[in-house]
Amino acid sequence: MSSSALRFLTQQLRRHRRTIGSRWRRLSAGRQALLTLAHLRVEHTYAQLAAGIGVGTTTAYRYVTEAVELLAALAPSLADAVRPASARAYLILDGTLLPIDRIAADGPFYSGKHKKHGMNVQVIADPFGRLLWASPALPGAVHDVRAAREHGIVDILAQAGIKCWADKGYRGAGGTVRIPYWGRWETLSIGQKTVNRAHAKIRALVERAAATLKSWRLLRKLRCSTTRITSLVQAVLALHLTSSE
């Protein structure tokens, strides 16, 4: 785990405790930060965390939840993430699926594209593939272009005048979103094929941003309530941006 992330979270927890006037705690701010990072980074369960640090399972859950909500509130909004990006030539947009443990009956969470249950998260990366922003989570059945519209991504990028490269899943998005030429490969002209190859090379870098999220093992297979997933994603985003500064 990143020592800078641990220091950052510890400082935030100390500030939070002073703000709310918290007195004695079973764990120090540093131990609470370590508990939270162990949960997010290596997917330790609350029972494992409680046994390892010497507290009750309920206490471990409460401490982790408090820290996650604190971090989630620090994550940048889309407008905040896009504003400094206006100096860049373009951004890259893509959707990723965070798998969840749901059964076949949970239709809204089933992604026909990925053939599994999960939550749709939109990610925006810079031209080098570095993660700049991650959206709130939507059910996996939501298509990428619909998710982009619901989050206001298309409108905000258009207002900022920032070109954005995306895949064919964003067909019809409009604004400054650019997608490859549509059609079967054999029906495309030589010029269109050349453009699509160049487009694919640029867009491929966004996979680094998605991989950045999933380097936190908790997000590789979520076993919590779907209502908590947005907070977890935003907490990871805040920690990543802080550690990469």
Side-chain angles (χ1 to χ4, degrees):
M1 291 182 289
S2 168
S3 58
S4 61
L6 180 60
R7 289 193 299 270
F8 171 76
L9 182 53
T10 300
Q11 292 170 357
Q12 295 302 319
L13 287 169
R14 286 173 179 161
R15 187 177 296 115
H16 174 67
R17 291 183 180 190
R18 289 196 298 267
T19 300
I20 65 176
S22 177
R23 297 182 180 179
W24 183 84
R25 289 283 189 107
R26 184 73 176 78
L27 296 178
S28 66
R31 298 289 276 176
Q32 183 180 358
L34 182 62
L35 194 76
T36 304
L37 289 178
H39 179 62
L40 295 174
R41 175 62 81 179
V42 295
E43 201 184 3
H44 285 333
T45 65
Y46 296 115
Q48 290 172 323
L49 294 172
I53 210 161
V55 297
T57 303
T58 302
T59 301
Y61 171 81
R62 187 172 64 251
Y63 277 172
V64 170
T65 301
E66 179 186 42
V68 166
E69 291 177 352
L70 180 62
L71 285 170
L74 298 174
S77 66
L78 176 58
D80 290 337
V82 167
R83 192 175 299 113
S86 59
R88 297 182 171 92
Y90 59 87
L91 297 177
I92 315 172
L93 170 65
D94 197 12
T96 188
L97 189 80
L98 301 182
I100 60 175
D101 59 343
R102 288 298 183 271
I103 60 175
D106 296 315
F109 300 101
Y110 184 76
S111 169
K113 176 182 177 181
H114 298 276
K115 309 301 181 186
K116 63 177 68 174
H117 292 81
M119 300 294 285
N120 180 308
V121 173
Q122 300 292 300
V123 296
I124 292 180
D126 69 7
F128 301 98
R130 292 177 296 211
L131 177 65
L132 298 179
W133 181 78
S135 75
L138 293 174
V142 176
H143 199 273
D144 282 340
V145 69
R146 175 185 163 191
R149 287 170 177 159
E150 287 195 20
H151 296 311
I153 297 173
V154 177
D155 291 339
I156 290 179
L157 290 176
Q159 291 169 6
I162 302 175
K163 292 182 180 178
C164 178
W165 265 244
D167 62 24
K168 293 179 181 179
Y170 296 88
R171 185 184 184 189
T176 56
V177 177
R178 300 289 181 263
I179 65 170
Y181 282 105
W182 190 267
R184 296 176 63 86
W185 183 256
E186 59 269 17
T187 65
L188 299 178
S189 67
I190 295 177
Q192 289 173 330
K193 290 178 180 179
T194 302
V195 170
N196 279 10
R197 288 193 189 97
H199 190 285
K201 289 180 181 179
I202 293 173
R203 190 178 53 77
L205 293 174
V206 77
E207 296 300 330
R208 295 182 185 176
T212 296
L213 283 181
K214 293 178 181 179
S215 66
W216 298 75
R217 289 184 59 184
L218 186 71
L219 299 184
R220 296 180 191 175
K221 185 62 178 287
L222 289 151
R223 296 174 175 83
C224 62
S225 168
T226 55
T227 60
R228 296 189 58 230
I229 293 177
T230 291
S231 294
L232 292 171
V233 171
Q234 297 301 302
V236 167
L237 175 64
L239 285 171
H240 165 71
L241 293 177
T242 301
S243 301
S244 60
E245 287 180 355

